Amino acid sequence: MPQVDKPLAELLTYQGRNPCPPDLDSFWDRSLAEMHALGTACELVPASVTARHAECFDLYFTGVGGARVHAKYLRPKNSRIRHPAVVLFHGYSGNSGDWFEKLAWLNEGCCVAALDCRGQGGFSEDVGGVKGPTLRGHIIRGLALEQPPEKLLYRDIFLDTAQLARIVMSQPDVDPARVGATGGSQGGALTLACAALEPAIKLAAPIFPFLCDYRRVWEMDLAKDAYEELRTYFRHFDPLHQQEEALFTRLGYIDCQFLAKRIRAKVLMAVGLMDTICPPSTQFAAYNKITAPKELAIYPDFGHEGLPGLSDRIRSFMTGL
């Protein structure tokens, strides 16, 4: 079988190459305490779009650092019972997507929330000093070693995923014990982060997750496309790689493989073995650290693209909510 990475037998035991910061757990415990202190307050603004069986809202909340964060929120119309809910996460530089594509979940009796990541293609605010989208550079935002790791932008985005999940769980029309999360690429990474940082998430379905095992990406010479900014950072700020070990260790704070051990949700993860955007080994570095119940959907001939039948499988998986 053709391959772009390690053989499957090795992938199934691979444990990653990126160094883990020694204070990782205390870093995330402090970060979560900061996020929890913000509570679950939100603003629901009726959206201009209408749907026959759904109420549609623009949801806003204040995230860490004071950012105004946006998500789309849909709930079944005229219902007096609590529903399961699904939280959706989008790909890198994208946005929460169209309202219409969320309605299939409403047909399954679910409420739906879809996050706009800070500074990307949606309406969430990046409090780094500018308005509007910043188009990538988010992996390396806050990477400079002269500042604390709390400045890493993805630290705040990861916390936004958990805060949104908590807000959804607090809604009067949602059963907080029946909330799932899913997304692809960056959305897959954020699914892992959400499930790791909000242990009440019941089901998680990450699709070829991004933001895993950065050093492995570098060593495979795949710091291009979605990971191109890693190469740009070294070329501009550390051309002799004198700080390489320290920089990859700093990236370990926002490496999903190190958050995976916190996940308590049941996990269905999809991987394409021909993926050259998010190499399979980087994804397995995270999957192999998950100790909760888990299963894989492996696509030997597919890369970072649509995976046939996966939407139906995730729909079936989410019926467990």
Side-chain angles (χ1 to χ4, degrees):
M1 181 175 66
Q3 62 186 53
V4 298
D5 205 328
K6 296 175 178 289
L8 180 58
E10 294 182 26
L11 292 173
L12 291 169
T13 59
Y14 177 68
Q15 292 296 313
R17 291 280 296 122
N18 205 84
C20 180
D23 63 338
L24 180 86
D25 288 334
S26 60
F27 169 84
W28 280 110
D29 289 344
R30 292 193 307 274
S31 297
L32 284 168
E34 179 184 348
M35 183 268 285
H36 288 161
L38 297 172
T40 56
C42 71
E43 179 185 5
L44 290 176
V45 180
S48 58
V49 66
T50 59
R52 184 176 303 171
H53 302 297
E55 293 181 300
C56 303
F57 299 91
D58 289 296
L59 184 155
Y60 296 93
F61 64 91
T62 300
V64 293
R68 183 170 169 83
V69 181
H70 172 262
K72 291 182 171 73
Y73 182 67
L74 301 86
R75 65 189 183 197
K77 188 179 288 185
N78 300 323
S79 176
R80 291 184 172 86
I81 65 170
R82 287 181 177 264
H83 299 270
V86 179
V87 185
L88 306 178
F89 302 112
H90 64 77
Y92 197 21
S93 79
N95 59 41
S96 53
D98 292 344
W99 296 93
F100 180 75
E101 63 192 23
K102 316 292 186 291
L103 294 177
W105 289 110
L106 272 293
N107 289 337
E108 296 297 315
C110 295
C111 298
V112 182
L115 180 71
D116 277 338
C117 290
R118 301 181 183 210
Q120 297 187 17
F123 297 107
S124 291
E125 181 183 17
D126 175 4
V127 290
V130 298
K131 291 185 180 296
T134 52
L135 189 59
R136 307 217 174 158
H138 293 191
I139 300 173
I140 59 174
R141 183 80 66 83
L143 185 57
L145 299 176
E146 59 267 24
Q147 57 194 350
E150 283 80 5
K151 294 294 185 180
L152 288 162
L153 179 59
Y154 266 114
R155 176 254 192 187
D156 296 345
I157 295 174
F158 284 6
L159 291 170
D160 289 342
T161 70
Q163 190 173 356
L164 177 59
R166 288 169 60 82
I167 288 169
V168 168
M169 291 171 184
S170 74
Q171 296 305 301
D173 38 17
V174 171
D175 181 344
R178 295 191 294 157
V179 177
T182 189
S185 196
Q186 177 188 248
L190 299 186
T191 298
L192 292 173
C194 181
L197 299 176
E198 178 41 67
I201 290 289
K202 183 177 181 181
L203 299 176
I207 306 165
F208 38 60
F210 185 41
L211 307 177
C212 301
D213 203 7
Y214 301 98
R215 175 166 269 168
R216 174 65 177 166
V217 173
W218 182 264
E219 291 174 347
M220 292 183 70
D221 195 25
L222 290 176
K224 56 183 183 178
D225 301 319
Y227 283 107
E228 186 274 336
E229 59 209 63
L230 295 177
R231 186 178 304 279
T232 298
Y233 189 92
F234 278 115
R235 286 174 62 86
H236 285 294
F237 299 107
D238 189 21
L240 300 181
H241 281 241
Q242 293 171 319
Q243 296 181 319
E244 179 178 318
E245 185 71 16
L247 289 169
F248 279 117
T249 301
R250 170 66 61 92
L251 287 168
Y253 289 107
I254 54 168
D255 188 332
C256 289
Q257 67 168 314
F258 300 131
L259 287 173
K261 66 181 182 181
R262 290 177 174 251
I263 293 173
R264 298 293 176 264
K266 182 178 180 181
V267 176
L268 168 63
M269 191 165 111
V271 181
L273 296 187
M274 300 301 289
D275 195 337
T276 58
I277 305 297
C278 298
S281 55
T282 67
Q283 301 175 51
F284 275 89
Y287 181 82
N288 292 337
K289 292 181 178 65
I290 297 171
T291 58
K294 59 185 178 179
E295 59 182 304
L296 276 169
I298 298 175
Y299 287 77
D301 305 309
F302 287 79
H304 212 74
E305 57 187 311
L307 301 176
L310 182 62
S311 294
D312 289 340
R313 185 166 177 180
I314 290 175
R315 177 261 175 196
S316 178
F317 177 70
M318 289 295 178
T319 59
L321 289 171

Short mmCIF file of all heavy atoms in Angstrom, two decimals, residues 10-42:
data_model
loop_
_atom_site.label_atom_id
_atom_site.label_comp_id
_atom_site.label_asym_id
_atom_site.label_seq_id
_atom_site.Cartn_x
_atom_site.Cartn_y
_atom_site.Cartn_z
N GLU A 10 3.20 0.88 12.94
CA GLU A 10 3.98 1.81 13.75
C GLU A 10 3.14 3.00 14.20
O GLU A 10 3.29 3.50 15.32
CB GLU A 10 5.20 2.29 12.97
CG GLU A 10 6.22 1.21 12.66
CD GLU A 10 7.44 1.74 11.93
OE1 GLU A 10 7.75 2.95 12.08
OE2 GLU A 10 8.07 0.96 11.21
N LEU A 11 2.24 3.45 13.33
CA LEU A 11 1.36 4.56 13.70
C LEU A 11 0.53 4.23 14.93
O LEU A 11 0.28 5.09 15.79
CB LEU A 11 0.44 4.92 12.54
CG LEU A 11 1.08 5.54 11.30
CD1 LEU A 11 0.05 5.68 10.19
CD2 LEU A 11 1.71 6.89 11.62
N LEU A 12 0.11 2.99 15.03
CA LEU A 12 -0.78 2.58 16.11
C LEU A 12 -0.10 2.60 17.48
O LEU A 12 -0.79 2.52 18.51
CB LEU A 12 -1.35 1.20 15.83
CG LEU A 12 -2.35 1.14 14.66
CD1 LEU A 12 -2.66 -0.29 14.28
CD2 LEU A 12 -3.64 1.89 15.02
N THR A 13 1.23 2.72 17.51
CA THR A 13 1.95 2.80 18.79
C THR A 13 2.78 4.07 18.91
O THR A 13 3.43 4.27 19.94
CB THR A 13 2.89 1.58 18.96
OG1 THR A 13 3.84 1.55 17.88
CG2 THR A 13 2.09 0.28 18.97
N TYR A 14 2.76 4.91 17.90
CA TYR A 14 3.61 6.10 17.86
C TYR A 14 3.21 7.07 18.98
O TYR A 14 2.04 7.34 19.21
CB TYR A 14 3.46 6.78 16.50
CG TYR A 14 4.22 8.07 16.35
CD1 TYR A 14 5.61 8.11 16.33
CD2 TYR A 14 3.53 9.29 16.26
CE1 TYR A 14 6.30 9.30 16.20
CE2 TYR A 14 4.21 10.49 16.13
CZ TYR A 14 5.60 10.49 16.11
OH TYR A 14 6.28 11.68 15.98
N GLN A 15 4.22 7.63 19.67
CA GLN A 15 3.98 8.49 20.83
C GLN A 15 4.42 9.94 20.64
O GLN A 15 4.35 10.72 21.58
CB GLN A 15 4.67 7.91 22.07
CG GLN A 15 4.05 6.60 22.54
CD GLN A 15 2.60 6.78 22.99
OE1 GLN A 15 2.28 7.71 23.74
NE2 GLN A 15 1.71 5.91 22.53
N GLY A 16 4.84 10.31 19.44
CA GLY A 16 5.14 11.71 19.17
C GLY A 16 6.60 12.08 19.38
O GLY A 16 7.35 11.39 20.06
N ARG A 17 6.97 13.24 18.79
CA ARG A 17 8.35 13.72 18.86
C ARG A 17 8.47 15.07 19.58
O ARG A 17 9.53 15.42 20.04
CB ARG A 17 8.89 13.88 17.42
CG ARG A 17 9.10 12.58 16.69
CD ARG A 17 10.41 11.92 17.10
NE ARG A 17 11.54 12.76 16.71
CZ ARG A 17 12.46 13.25 17.57
NH1 ARG A 17 12.37 12.97 18.86
NH2 ARG A 17 13.45 14.01 17.13
N ASN A 18 7.40 15.84 19.63
CA ASN A 18 7.51 17.17 20.21
C ASN A 18 7.75 17.10 21.71
O ASN A 18 7.12 16.29 22.39
CB ASN A 18 6.22 17.96 19.95
CG ASN A 18 6.47 19.46 19.96
OD1 ASN A 18 6.87 20.01 18.94
ND2 ASN A 18 6.26 20.12 21.08
N PRO A 19 8.65 17.93 22.23
CA PRO A 19 8.86 17.93 23.69
C PRO A 19 7.66 18.51 24.42
O PRO A 19 6.98 19.42 23.94
CB PRO A 19 10.10 18.81 23.87
CG PRO A 19 10.20 19.64 22.63
CD PRO A 19 9.59 18.83 21.53
N CYS A 20 7.41 17.97 25.60
CA CYS A 20 6.29 18.42 26.44
C CYS A 20 6.82 19.36 27.53
O CYS A 20 7.77 19.03 28.23
CB CYS A 20 5.60 17.22 27.09
SG CYS A 20 4.20 17.65 28.15
N PRO A 21 6.22 20.53 27.69
CA PRO A 21 6.67 21.44 28.77
C PRO A 21 6.48 20.77 30.13
O PRO A 21 5.45 20.13 30.39
CB PRO A 21 5.73 22.64 28.63
CG PRO A 21 5.18 22.56 27.24
CD PRO A 21 5.12 21.09 26.91
N PRO A 22 7.44 20.92 31.02
CA PRO A 22 7.34 20.24 32.32
C PRO A 22 6.18 20.73 33.19
O PRO A 22 5.70 20.00 34.05
CB PRO A 22 8.69 20.53 32.98
CG PRO A 22 9.22 21.74 32.27
CD PRO A 22 8.71 21.66 30.87
N ASP A 23 5.72 21.97 32.95
CA ASP A 23 4.64 22.53 33.76
C ASP A 23 3.31 22.55 33.01
O ASP A 23 2.43 23.36 33.32
CB ASP A 23 5.00 23.94 34.22
CG ASP A 23 5.16 24.91 33.05
OD1 ASP A 23 5.39 24.46 31.91
OD2 ASP A 23 5.04 26.13 33.27
N LEU A 24 3.16 21.66 32.03
CA LEU A 24 1.97 21.67 31.18
C LEU A 24 0.68 21.62 31.99
O LEU A 24 -0.25 22.40 31.76
CB LEU A 24 2.01 20.50 30.20
CG LEU A 24 0.80 20.44 29.26
CD1 LEU A 24 1.03 21.29 28.03
CD2 LEU A 24 0.48 19.01 28.86
N ASP A 25 0.59 20.69 32.94
CA ASP A 25 -0.66 20.52 33.68
C ASP A 25 -0.99 21.76 34.50
O ASP A 25 -2.15 22.21 34.53
CB ASP A 25 -0.58 19.29 34.57
CG ASP A 25 -0.63 18.00 33.78
OD1 ASP A 25 -1.19 18.00 32.67
OD2 ASP A 25 -0.08 16.99 34.26
N SER A 26 -0.01 22.34 35.18
CA SER A 26 -0.29 23.53 35.98
C SER A 26 -0.63 24.71 35.08
O SER A 26 -1.48 25.56 35.44
CB SER A 26 0.90 23.86 36.89
OG SER A 26 2.07 24.11 36.13
N PHE A 27 -0.02 24.78 33.90
CA PHE A 27 -0.34 25.84 32.94
C PHE A 27 -1.81 25.78 32.57
O PHE A 27 -2.52 26.81 32.60
CB PHE A 27 0.53 25.67 31.68
CG PHE A 27 0.13 26.54 30.52
CD1 PHE A 27 0.57 27.84 30.43
CD2 PHE A 27 -0.68 26.04 29.50
CE1 PHE A 27 0.20 28.64 29.35
CE2 PHE A 27 -1.05 26.82 28.42
CZ PHE A 27 -0.61 28.14 28.35
N TRP A 28 -2.30 24.59 32.24
CA TRP A 28 -3.71 24.48 31.82
C TRP A 28 -4.65 24.58 33.01
O TRP A 28 -5.77 25.09 32.88
CB TRP A 28 -3.94 23.21 31.01
CG TRP A 28 -3.49 23.42 29.60
CD1 TRP A 28 -2.41 22.88 28.96
CD2 TRP A 28 -4.12 24.30 28.65
NE1 TRP A 28 -2.33 23.36 27.68
CE2 TRP A 28 -3.35 24.22 27.45
CE3 TRP A 28 -5.24 25.13 28.68
CZ2 TRP A 28 -3.68 24.96 26.30
CZ3 TRP A 28 -5.57 25.86 27.55
CH2 TRP A 28 -4.79 25.78 26.39
N ASP A 29 -4.23 24.14 34.19
CA ASP A 29 -5.08 24.32 35.37
C ASP A 29 -5.27 25.81 35.66
O ASP A 29 -6.39 26.26 35.97
CB ASP A 29 -4.46 23.62 36.58
CG ASP A 29 -4.54 22.10 36.49
OD1 ASP A 29 -5.33 21.60 35.66
OD2 ASP A 29 -3.80 21.43 37.23
N ARG A 30 -4.20 26.60 35.57
CA ARG A 30 -4.31 28.05 35.77
C ARG A 30 -5.19 28.68 34.69
O ARG A 30 -6.02 29.55 34.97
CB ARG A 30 -2.94 28.71 35.74
CG ARG A 30 -2.01 28.38 36.89
CD ARG A 30 -0.82 29.33 36.93
NE ARG A 30 -0.10 29.43 35.66
CZ ARG A 30 0.88 28.60 35.29
NH1 ARG A 30 1.25 27.61 36.11
NH2 ARG A 30 1.50 28.77 34.14
N SER A 31 -4.99 28.25 33.47
CA SER A 31 -5.75 28.81 32.36
C SER A 31 -7.24 28.50 32.50
O SER A 31 -8.10 29.36 32.26
CB SER A 31 -5.22 28.26 31.04
OG SER A 31 -3.87 28.65 30.83
N LEU A 32 -7.55 27.28 32.90
CA LEU A 32 -8.95 26.92 33.10
C LEU A 32 -9.57 27.70 34.25
O LEU A 32 -10.74 28.11 34.17
CB LEU A 32 -9.07 25.41 33.36
CG LEU A 32 -8.93 24.52 32.12
CD1 LEU A 32 -8.76 23.06 32.53
CD2 LEU A 32 -10.14 24.68 31.21
N ALA A 33 -8.82 27.94 35.30
CA ALA A 33 -9.34 28.73 36.41
C ALA A 33 -9.69 30.14 35.94
O ALA A 33 -10.72 30.71 36.33
CB ALA A 33 -8.33 28.78 37.55
N GLU A 34 -8.84 30.70 35.09
CA GLU A 34 -9.12 32.02 34.52
C GLU A 34 -10.40 32.00 33.69
O GLU A 34 -11.24 32.91 33.78
CB GLU A 34 -7.94 32.46 33.66
CG GLU A 34 -8.11 33.81 33.00
CD GLU A 34 -6.95 34.17 32.09
OE1 GLU A 34 -5.91 33.48 32.13
OE2 GLU A 34 -7.09 35.14 31.30
N MET A 35 -10.57 30.97 32.88
CA MET A 35 -11.76 30.87 32.04
C MET A 35 -13.01 30.61 32.88
O MET A 35 -14.06 31.23 32.66
CB MET A 35 -11.57 29.76 31.01
CG MET A 35 -12.72 29.59 30.02
SD MET A 35 -13.95 28.39 30.58
CE MET A 35 -13.07 26.85 30.28
N HIS A 36 -12.94 29.71 33.85
CA HIS A 36 -14.10 29.40 34.68
C HIS A 36 -14.59 30.63 35.44
O HIS A 36 -15.81 30.77 35.68
CB HIS A 36 -13.75 28.30 35.67
CG HIS A 36 -13.58 26.95 35.04
ND1 HIS A 36 -12.91 25.92 35.65
CD2 HIS A 36 -13.97 26.47 33.83
CE1 HIS A 36 -12.91 24.86 34.86
NE2 HIS A 36 -13.55 25.18 33.75
N ALA A 37 -13.68 31.53 35.79
CA ALA A 37 -14.07 32.72 36.53
C ALA A 37 -14.97 33.64 35.71
O ALA A 37 -15.68 34.48 36.26
CB ALA A 37 -12.82 33.49 36.98
N LEU A 38 -14.98 33.46 34.40
CA LEU A 38 -15.81 34.28 33.52
C LEU A 38 -17.26 33.83 33.52
O LEU A 38 -18.15 34.55 33.06
CB LEU A 38 -15.26 34.26 32.09
CG LEU A 38 -13.86 34.85 31.92
CD1 LEU A 38 -13.36 34.60 30.50
CD2 LEU A 38 -13.86 36.34 32.23
N GLY A 39 -17.53 32.62 33.99
CA GLY A 39 -18.89 32.11 34.05
C GLY A 39 -19.43 31.72 32.68
O GLY A 39 -18.67 31.51 31.73
N THR A 40 -20.75 31.65 32.59
CA THR A 40 -21.39 31.18 31.35
C THR A 40 -22.37 32.22 30.80
O THR A 40 -23.29 31.88 30.06
CB THR A 40 -22.14 29.85 31.61
OG1 THR A 40 -23.07 30.03 32.68
CG2 THR A 40 -21.15 28.74 31.96
N ALA A 41 -22.17 33.46 31.14
CA ALA A 41 -23.04 34.51 30.62
C ALA A 41 -22.84 34.65 29.11
O ALA A 41 -21.72 34.52 28.60
CB ALA A 41 -22.74 35.84 31.31
N CYS A 42 -23.93 34.91 28.40
CA CYS A 42 -23.85 35.12 26.97
C CYS A 42 -25.00 36.01 26.52
O CYS A 42 -25.96 36.23 27.27
CB CYS A 42 -23.87 33.80 26.20
SG CYS A 42 -25.46 32.95 26.20
#
